[in-house]
Each structure stands twice: as structure tokens, then as C-alpha cells.
Amino acid sequence: MLVFATRRLLLLPLILFVTATACFFILRTVPGGPFDQERVLPPQIQKNIEAKYSLDRPLVVQYGMYMRDLVHGDLGPSFRYLNRSVNEIILQAFPVSMTLGMLGLMFALTLGVGAGVLAAVKKNTALDYGSMTLAMVGVSVPNFVLGPVLIIAFVYYLDWFPVAGWGRLSHLVLPAVVTGAPYAAYFARLARGGMLEVLQQDYIRTARAKGLPARTVIAKHALKSGLIPVVSFLGPATANLLSGSIVVEMIFDIPGLGTFFTQGALNRDYLLVIGVVLVFATLLLIFNLLVDLAYAWLDPRIRLE
Amino acid sequence: MRVEGALALWGLLSCTACFSPPADFTFINGAEPQTLDPAIATGVPENRIISSLFEGLTTRHPETLEPLPGMAESWDVSDDGHVYTFRIREDARWSNGEPFTAHDFVYSWRRALTPETAAQYSYQLWYIKNAEKFNAGEISDFSEVGVRALDDRTLEVTLENPTPYFVSLTSFYTLFPVHRGTVERWGDEWIKPEHIVTNGPFLLRDWRLRHEIYLVKNPRYWDAENVALRSVRVLPSENANTAFNLYEKGTADWHGSMPAHLTDLLLERPDVHVAPYLGTYFVRVNVTRPPLDDPRVRLALFQSVRREDIVRYITRGGEVPAYTFTPPMHGYEPPEAPGYDPEEARRLLAEAGYPGGRGLRKLVYLYNTLEGHRDIAEVLQQQWKENLGVDIELLNQEWKVYLNSQRNLEYDLSRSGWIGDYVDPNTFLDMFVTGGGNNATGWSNEEYDALIARAARTDDHAERMRIFRRAERILVMDGPPVIPLYYYVVRWMYPPYVRGAPPNLLGELFLKNIWIEKEGV
């Protein structure tokens, strides 16, 4: 297992290199530059700006300079937030996205797995139908609808939470719920499906026949294998959640990574976009690795090597 | 394990649970400032903060925008209008206690003009003798540029041409002073709260990207006794609905816009303040492409748009229908322009060889992604079809792609907007000189060019205004390259307890002048 993990981690720099290279050249094919604006700048000023950011150099030279800095951990300057480096922006925004993403994930796992397991155990009852209908709604309702609905209910009518912003614990609740809701719904469906399959296995029947209490059968014997589908989705879901959601960030004014990424693309803030993509790629690779390791733990028949 | 998990979560949350104390005044600033460095800043959200942190030779009256003494307590202008002598006030200090001198301006303007600084608005200093050449790297000896400190308290500025609005320009942020020692010591990091040294009414206490900026009163500011606010929170909220929610729930005391879909409801409220804004929404016409190279076709398009429908049914926020490019402003009344006259428009189109629009190819109307632009485009499409029989195809492009298309004249008609930098018709009219960077229509008129050049050499105010009127008459009468639709308005929201924040023509918010009239503040 150690060899497997090491091999995967060693691949990380290569994957990041390919990702950065692809992003670098793809972004440059899009029309418009980072300093284009409605007010056209006099040519000599345009020249000064391009010289300052090395945009006047051939693309290959710019690429070489970027890669040289990247090797040293320098993601370069932002073209939108002047005087700021991409490192600085990511260091400021990533903890925000990570906090929100972790809370969203905790909410999604608690609610989703709980509801899914319960629905499987109480198959074909009102509880099953009810939770699966809710899960269907959760998957279908986009967060740009759920967010405003929760704001109307919990901010305007009940006055329980602040409307938007960041900094206090109370700011986290609604965004975490909106972030986690679709994942909760998805987890619920996966958990139900996984559990139903396991509950039909012979060893579960044997455990029941031995007279073990239902709770023990589920907790000790069924859950571990039943949750494998949930675990397999956990990797990309975690990477997604931790790297920020543009919609939730816009609705609740959260200074996370998501908006920096989309605004970066719109502003042609090339290096910021590549920086965020690299963060996302790293998260994705690490969490997928963790998922693979978790597989082996959950089901010893799986051999990673 | 459970304890470790709880500790880890606490650690994460504690990163975010760092909030500023409540402030006397909290306002929504729209986009996150690109920078707070006066030399390289460019936008309105930047201006609101920078103008609170720094002060130029002059400041502005919060309502009329007339220049008032700032770092300069007085100034003289030579008889020929070329040489300005500013007297720096004796009690001016930097926020670190160092005395403020005329040399600070020489350093700051030199820095803004140095090519390596890459200041986008450095052309605001080009009125100064040889400043453009220095900025372009054509000369490297700054002593040839027309700015020098005669002594610690006297700054002499020599201009290329008499520029009557130059004193107003000295309150524009590109011309603000920066603290030499701080800039030289910290480089790009000099604007961080832990380093920055300022000379304005407020100090930068905290700045977290897309989260908040926190300002506190500067006790060393020369006019500190007249600054009422002790602290200000600035919220960068770009989403119109979220910003409105923040204002509506009392988190913010001031909001500089309103959600378009609520305009009708909100306009009735006493906390909504609508006032003229120095900006025009207009359509650019690409005069290099047939049939738009025919002035009669352009004039027909101009005269067949009922602007009243656009402001009444689409924008609905008190905008004023526009037939001239320059909005009315203090001292300048735009000339008469062709009005809405579909009969005359049809006649012109027929005269150009397209009676009832027959034979005229489909014209492409370019606009950037925004619901409001699309709605206006659809009204224009319908009116031009109804009034002239002209078919219009709508082409929506993402902002930067749209800018690229407009700049390269890859359009027939293109929606545009222009906001003046300073209160003078020149900020609108010098756009359309032949080959002007912001012309983007291909239009050229020798007489127009000569008039704009003449206005730049004239220091008599009344005469300049007459020249601008003549120029603008050419712009809107002589086969117009622009079809003005409406003049913008500012739509501010603030409750009655916020005092000293009158809307003005440039939409500027002067924190220095604001006070709060409610219990406890």
C-alpha cells in the first residue's frame, strides 16, 4: 500500500506540470487580454504595462519564465489584483473555501449517509419514500435557488442568521447548508443503494440468524461495505467542496476561491486561473488517493498494488 | 480521536473568526479594489478608498465637485495659463508624523510617469510639459518635465497648454502623493495595512481581499477636527441582490446601486436618491462599413430611436433620454441635436437608396453579456424595424471578446457607455478625434479635430464652451458616429441618519464629509 501511495504521489508533479502547461496555452487562445478595458489606453502606456508583466515577450519565453517560477513555488503576479501575487490570493482564499467546504461536507455526510442508511433499513416504508423524495429534490434544486429561499426563510422571516458576509460562526451556517445540500442528497442515494446490496448478502443473513441485534448487524457488519459507493464519490466531492463554489460565494459574499477562479477567467487573469486550477488538481489527486486507500481498508479483497 | 477532530475544526474556524469591530459607517463598494496604489489604480471602487486614504493638492466639494484646498492651501496661475504655483499647507503631515513637502509631489508624479510603474492613468499627467515624453521613455531626465519644488512648501507646475480644468485634475487619484520612504522600502507591498503611510483623512487598518476593508480616522490629518467618522467598513459586494440584502438588513449604511428588477418599487422610497451622473449610454456606429459609411443612413438610425421608451420601460431608474453625447454639466449646455423624427429618418434612408429599408443588408448589433444590454438591444431592433424597415441581428459577446471586436471595428453597431473623468466636455469630446484610441468608430472629421485642438489651447472658459458646442454639433449632426440613448443617473440608497453624502455628477462618495445622526454615534 505504501508503494502504491508513494507511486501516486510521485506522479503528482508530472500531472501538475501537464495541467499548468495546458492551462497556460489554452488561456492564451481566448480573445482579449488582461488589461483590455472600455477606455483604450494610449499605445505607450499599453507598452509600459506589457513590459512590466512580460506580456510583450514571445509566448514561449513567457511560458519558460512561468515554469521557472513555478518550480520555486511562485505562481506569479495577479493581473487583476495589482500588487498581489497569486500565492497570496490563494493563501487568503483557500482557508475560507476549505472551512466552508468541510462544514458542507460534514453536513452532507451526516444528513446524507444517515438518511440513506435509514432508508435502506426501512426499505419501502414512508421513511424510505420520504427521504428519497427529499434526496431527489436536493439533487434537482440548484443552489442558486436554495440559497435565496433559505435567505428569505432564515434571514428575513426568522432573523436567525446574517444575510451574507464572512468572519463569524453565524455566517457559516446557511452557506454550509447550501453547499452541502446537493451532496447530501447524492450521498443519501448512494448510501441507500450500497446498503441495500449489502443487506442482501449471505453474511448479513448469517449474522441475523445468529440472533445479533439489528443495530449491531448494521453498524458492525453492513456499514463498512455498504458505504463503499459513498467513499468512491467522496474523493471528487471533497475536492469540489474544498475548492469553493462560485454560486454560494456570490450569494453569501464569501471570499473563497470559486469567485477568484471565474472572475479570473473573465478578467483574463491568466496566472490566477492556472494557480486555482493547480490547487484543484492537487486536491483531486490527493483525495482520490485517499479514497483508494480507504477502499482497501473497507474491503480487504481490494489489493491496491 | 474525537478531541483531535474537534481541535482541527476549531483551528480551521478560528482562521475565519477574525472579524473587525463594528464601524461608525459601513458601505457597499461594489467590486474589490484592484489596488489602493493611487498611481496605478483606475476604477470607481478604488477611488472611494484611495480618496479617503490620500489627498491631492486639492479636494472636491462633495456636491458641486468644485476644487477646494487640500494639501495645497492656495494656488496661483500665470497670466498665460501655463504655470501653476501651489502653496503646500504648513500643517500637512504624513500619517507617520513626517512633515509633508512639495518634494513629495515631485517624487509621486515622477513615479506615476516612470514607464516601469506602468500606471494606466498616467495620461492624466500629460498636461504637464514633457510628461508624455518622459512617460513614453523618449526623455529620461525628469528635470525637463514641468514640475519642480521651489522649496518645501512651493510646487511649480508648467503645462503644455493652458488647461482650465487642471486644478480639478489635481484631486484625481493618479496625481495623489505617496510616501517615498515606504514605497522604496516595501516595493509592491507598500500598500499593505502593516506598511502603508498616507496623508488623507483615514488610515488603512485592515484589508482582506473580497472580504472587507477597515478604515479608521487619521488623527494627524490637517483637517482631522472636521472628520466625523471614527471608523469605516467597506464591503466589496458585487452581486446586486446580496448587496441589496446587506443594506436592507442594516449591515450596510450606504449602497451605490440597486437591483434592476426592484427599481420600480424602490424609487418610491425616501432612502433612494437619484441624481444626474456624468455618463452616457450610446451606440457606436462603424462608419467604415457600407451602408453605414453613408452619413444619411447613420442619421436615419439616429432619428428613428424613441429614447423615452428605453428609459421608461427598460432602465426605469430616472435616466434621461439623450440626443447629445455630452451630458449637461456646470457651464456647458450641449447643442441642439436631431430629435426623434421617424418621417425624416425614412426620407433620409430613401435618399440614401434604401426606401423602406429595401436593399439594405442586415446590420449586426454587438453587445456584451448583461440582461439590461440585451433588453435595450431588443427595443432598438424592434424600433429600427418598425420605423425604417431595417433588420438587425443581435450579437452577444463576453466582455473582453466584445472589447476586442469593438476595438478592431468588427461590428456594425455596438452598444457603449462612457463616464467622464472630470467635469468638462473635453472628457467626452476628445474621444472622437481622428485616430483617437477611444474613437473605435472609424469616424474622422477635420473641422472637429481642429476645434478640439483649439479648445485645448484656449484658456477662456466661455470661449472653450462655445468651441465644444460647435464640435459636438458636428458630432451629432454630421452623419453621427454615435447614437446617444440616455444619460446615466446615480441611484444611491442611504437612510436619513447618514448625512453629508449628497449624490454628485461623478458619483463620488467623500467619507471625510459624512457624519451619522443617530443615538450613540
Side-chain angles (χ1 to χ4, degrees), chain B residues 324-350:
Chain B
T324 61
F325 183 58
T326 311
M329 64 184 84
H330 180 67
Y332 179 72
E333 198 53 48
E336 288 292 309
Y340 173 63
D341 188 348
E343 276 299 318
E344 173 64 7
R346 278 190 285 273
R347 190 192 68 72
L348 282 165
L349 200 65

Side-chain angles (χ1 to χ4, degrees), chain B residues 259-376:
Chain B
H261 63 280
L262 293 178
T263 306
D264 288 340
L265 285 171
L266 296 175
L267 279 178
E268 307 296 320
R269 293 190 357 181
D271 59 337
V272 169
H273 306 263
V274 178
Y277 187 47
L278 196 66
T280 307
Y281 190 105
F282 67 103
V283 181
R284 276 188 163 88
V285 187
N286 179 359
V287 307
T288 64
R289 281 188 181 180
L292 298 169
D293 55 346
D294 187 329
R296 293 167 297 189
V297 176
R298 301 200 294 268
L299 198 53
L301 291 169
F302 188 106
Q303 290 199 265
S304 52
V305 177
R306 202 165 44 242
R307 278 78 163 167
E308 284 72 10
D309 287 357
I310 293 170
V311 299
R312 191 178 301 146
Y313 303 116
I314 307 292
T315 62
R316 305 197 310 273
E319 289 80 2
V320 181
Y323 292 87
T324 61
F325 183 58
T326 311
M329 64 184 84
H330 180 67
Y332 179 72
E333 198 53 48
E336 288 292 309
Y340 173 63
D341 188 348
E343 276 299 318
E344 173 64 7
R346 278 190 285 273
R347 190 192 68 72
L348 282 165
L349 200 65
E351 195 180 298
Y354 310 103
R358 283 187 297 280
L360 195 74
R361 71 173 170 87
K362 190 180 258 190
L363 301 175
V364 178
Y365 181 93
L366 174 70
Y367 67 102
N368 59 297
T369 312
L370 197 79
E371 201 176 326
H373 296 329
R374 192 199 58 214
D375 293 345
I376 289 172

Side-chain angles (χ1 to χ4, degrees), chain B residues 224-285:
Chain B
E225 65 184 48
N226 289 316
V227 179
L229 298 176
R230 289 160 303 180
S231 54
V232 178
R233 272 181 82 204
V234 188
L235 303 179
S237 187
E238 288 191 66
N239 182 302
N241 293 324
T242 309
F244 176 72
N245 286 339
L246 284 166
Y247 172 79
E248 198 65 1
K249 289 299 290 178
T251 307
D253 305 300
W254 184 94
H255 177 26
S257 72
M258 60 175 80
H261 63 280
L262 293 178
T263 306
D264 288 340
L265 285 171
L266 296 175
L267 279 178
E268 307 296 320
R269 293 190 357 181
D271 59 337
V272 169
H273 306 263
V274 178
Y277 187 47
L278 196 66
T280 307
Y281 190 105
F282 67 103
V283 181
R284 276 188 163 88
V285 187

Side-chain angles (χ1 to χ4, degrees), chain B residues 423-437:
Chain B
V423 188
D424 191 278
N426 189 64
T427 188
F428 285 86
L429 297 176
D430 74 348
M431 273 170 75
F432 290 100
V433 295
T434 303

Side-chain angles (χ1 to χ4, degrees), chain A residues 128-139:
Chain A
D128 181 18
Y129 296 137
S131 54
M132 283 308 105
T133 309
L134 263 179
M136 182 57 80
V137 173
V139 171

Side-chain angles (χ1 to χ4, degrees), chain B residues 286-493:
Chain B
N286 179 359
V287 307
T288 64
R289 281 188 181 180
L292 298 169
D293 55 346
D294 187 329
R296 293 167 297 189
V297 176
R298 301 200 294 268
L299 198 53
L301 291 169
F302 188 106
Q303 290 199 265
S304 52
V305 177
R306 202 165 44 242
R307 278 78 163 167
E308 284 72 10
D309 287 357
I310 293 170
V311 299
R312 191 178 301 146
Y313 303 116
I314 307 292
T315 62
R316 305 197 310 273
E319 289 80 2
V320 181
Y323 292 87
T324 61
F325 183 58
T326 311
M329 64 184 84
H330 180 67
Y332 179 72
E333 198 53 48
E336 288 292 309
Y340 173 63
D341 188 348
E343 276 299 318
E344 173 64 7
R346 278 190 285 273
R347 190 192 68 72
L348 282 165
L349 200 65
E351 195 180 298
Y354 310 103
R358 283 187 297 280
L360 195 74
R361 71 173 170 87
K362 190 180 258 190
L363 301 175
V364 178
Y365 181 93
L366 174 70
Y367 67 102
N368 59 297
T369 312
L370 197 79
E371 201 176 326
H373 296 329
R374 192 199 58 214
D375 293 345
I376 289 172
E378 285 170 357
V379 170
L380 292 173
Q381 184 184 40
Q382 183 205 351
Q383 291 195 1
W384 279 327
K385 179 69 184 168
E386 257 176 37
N387 290 335
L388 298 177
V390 172
D391 288 317
I392 302 288
E393 180 188 328
L394 304 184
L395 175 63
N396 173 212
Q397 289 182 343
E398 182 267 345
W399 175 242
K400 297 265 183 179
V401 181
Y402 149 88
L403 288 179
N404 202 47
S405 302
Q406 185 169 275
R407 196 161 306 159
N408 296 325
L409 295 182
E410 290 162 4
Y411 71 90
D412 291 326
L413 302 152
S414 171
R415 89 95 217 155
S416 302
W418 192 256
I419 310 295
D421 284 332
Y422 46 91
V423 188
D424 191 278
N426 189 64
T427 188
F428 285 86
L429 297 176
D430 74 348
M431 273 170 75
F432 290 100
V433 295
T434 303
N438 290 302
N439 185 324
T441 61
W443 187 73
S444 165
N445 184 295
E446 273 178 34
E447 191 186 350
Y448 184 88
D449 293 351
L451 285 167
I452 299 299
R454 212 173 103 200
R457 293 189 303 270
T458 309
D459 60 348
D460 177 78
H461 177 75
E463 175 61 11
R464 281 182 80 241
M465 295 303 125
R466 271 194 295 275
I467 295 171
F468 283 132
R469 272 174 68 89
R470 278 178 59 194
E472 182 152 15
R473 193 172 291 124
I474 295 170
L475 185 72
V476 293
M477 296 285 284
D478 191 12
V482 289
I483 303 172
L485 296 181
Y486 60 83
Y487 305 130
Y488 289 107
V489 287
V490 289
R491 290 179 289 189
W492 287 2
M493 302 182 75

